[in-house]
C-alpha cells in the first residue's frame, strides 16, 4: 500500500498544481465608484418613469485583468426578481473594444454620447435603447441588480439593432470567456 501512495504522489502533485493554477489564474476584477456588492443603490440609479422618479444614471464600472484572448467586452444589468417570469433587462451594451476598461457614470444615456465609441446599446425591457434604472414595484421588497462585465472571444457580436434582451443575452453568453458581477440591491417602499 505504501508503494501505491508513493507512486501516486507525482499524479497528486500534478493535479494539485493544476487546480491551484486554475484557481489563481483568474485576475479579472470589476469595481465601481457608484455601486457596491450587496449594498443598496442610490436613487441616482432609479428609473425616471413607470412611477419612479430617479436620475436614471447607469453606474460607473471599471475592470482589469481580462483573460487572454479577450477581443471585446459587453456589459449587462439584469434584475432576476422582476415579477415577469423572465426577469428584467435594464442594460446591455455590446461591442466595447478590448482596449477599454471603464465606463463612466451615465454612459447608458444614449443622448449624451458617453458610451465607448463603436459600442452598441440594446433595447432594454422598458422598450428604450440604453440604460433604464431600477424600478421595482412598490412593496415588492428588495431586488437584486446584477451588473456584469463579460470578456468576449469575438471582436463584434452580430446582433440586429432591434434584438431582444434574450437574443443579446444568448449571444453574449455564447461568446463569454469570463465575467465578473457586482450585485447591488434596490427597493421601493
Amino acid at each position: 500500500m505504501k508503494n501505491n501512495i508513493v507512486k501516486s504522489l507525482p499524479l497528486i502533485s500534478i493535479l494539485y498544481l493544476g487546480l491551484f493554477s486554475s484557481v489563481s489564474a483568474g485576475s479579472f476584477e470589476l469595481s465601481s465608484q457608484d455601486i457596491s456588492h450587496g449594498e443598496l443603490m442610490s436613487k441616482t440609479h432609479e428609473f425616471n418613469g413607470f412611477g419612479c422618479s430617479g436620475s436614471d444614471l447607469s453606474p460607473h464600472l471599471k475592470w482589469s485583468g481580462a483573460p487572454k484572448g479577450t477581443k471585446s467586452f459587453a456589459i449587462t444589468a439584469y434584475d432576476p426578481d422582476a415579477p415577469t417570469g423572465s426577469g428584467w433587462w435594464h442594460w446591455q451594451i455590446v461591442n466595447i473594444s478590448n482596449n477599454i476598461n471603464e465606463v463612466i457614470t451615465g454612459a447608458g444615456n444614449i443622448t449624451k454620447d458617453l458610451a465607448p465609441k463603436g459600442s452598441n446599446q440594446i433595447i432594454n425591457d422598458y422598450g428604450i435603447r440604453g440604460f433604464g434604472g431600477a424600478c421595482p414595484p412598490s412593496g415588492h421588497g428588495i431586488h437584486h441588480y446584477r451588473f456584469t462585465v463579460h470578456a468576449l472571444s469575438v471582436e463584434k457580436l452580430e446582433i440586429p439593432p432591434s434584438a431582444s434582451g434574450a437574443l443579446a443575452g444568448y449571444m453574449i453568453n455564447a461568446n463569454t470567456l469570463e465575467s465578473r458581477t457586482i450585485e447591488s440591491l434596490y427597493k421601493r417602499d
Side-chain angles (χ1 to χ4, degrees):
M1 182 162 164
K2 185 176 179 183
N3 281 343
N4 287 340
I5 293 172
V6 171
K7 288 178 185 176
S8 298
L9 283 177
L11 178 59
I12 292 169
S13 298
I14 291 168
L15 290 173
Y16 176 76
L17 288 174
L19 177 64
F20 179 75
S21 64
S22 67
V23 169
S24 64
S27 60
F28 193 30
E29 295 182 10
L30 175 62
S31 62
S32 176
Q33 297 170 353
D34 298 329
I35 59 173
S36 298
H37 191 78
E39 301 291 327
L40 288 169
M41 290 186 288
S42 73
K43 195 166 177 83
T44 301
H45 309 295
E46 181 181 277
F47 189 63
N48 192 337
F50 283 45
C52 292
S53 59
S55 300
D56 203 21
L57 292 177
S58 58
H60 163 268
L61 297 170
K62 184 174 185 171
W63 56 94
S64 63
K68 184 177 180 181
T70 298
K71 295 183 179 170
S72 69
F73 296 99
I75 298 171
T76 60
Y78 176 74
D79 172 10
D81 303 315
T84 63
S86 60
W88 193 271
W89 290 106
H90 288 267
W91 194 24
Q92 292 172 303
I93 177 171
V94 300
N95 302 333
I96 300 170
S97 174
N98 68 350
N99 66 348
I100 302 292
N101 69 346
E102 184 172 22
V103 292
I104 63 171
T105 304
N109 183 332
I110 63 165
T111 64
K112 302 224 179 200
D113 197 27
L114 300 173
K117 300 294 180 221
S119 63
N120 180 23
Q121 300 202 53
I122 307 300
I123 295 172
N124 61 38
D125 282 343
Y126 290 112
I128 57 174
R129 189 170 309 283
F131 178 77
C135 187
S138 291
H140 203 255
I142 292 177
H143 281 221
H144 300 79
Y145 294 86
R146 296 175 182 159
F147 292 87
T148 304
V149 173
H150 302 261
L152 303 179
S153 62
V154 295
E155 285 184 31
K156 185 173 183 180
L157 292 177
E158 298 298 332
I159 299 176
S162 60
S164 68
L167 175 58
Y170 174 84
M171 294 299 290
I172 291 167
N173 287 324
N175 292 283
T176 295
L177 296 169
E178 199 171 337
S179 64
R180 289 294 177 265
T181 300
I182 296 173
E183 185 176 83
S184 290
L185 312 173
Y186 201 75
K187 73 174 185 170
R188 289 172 60 215
D189 295 322

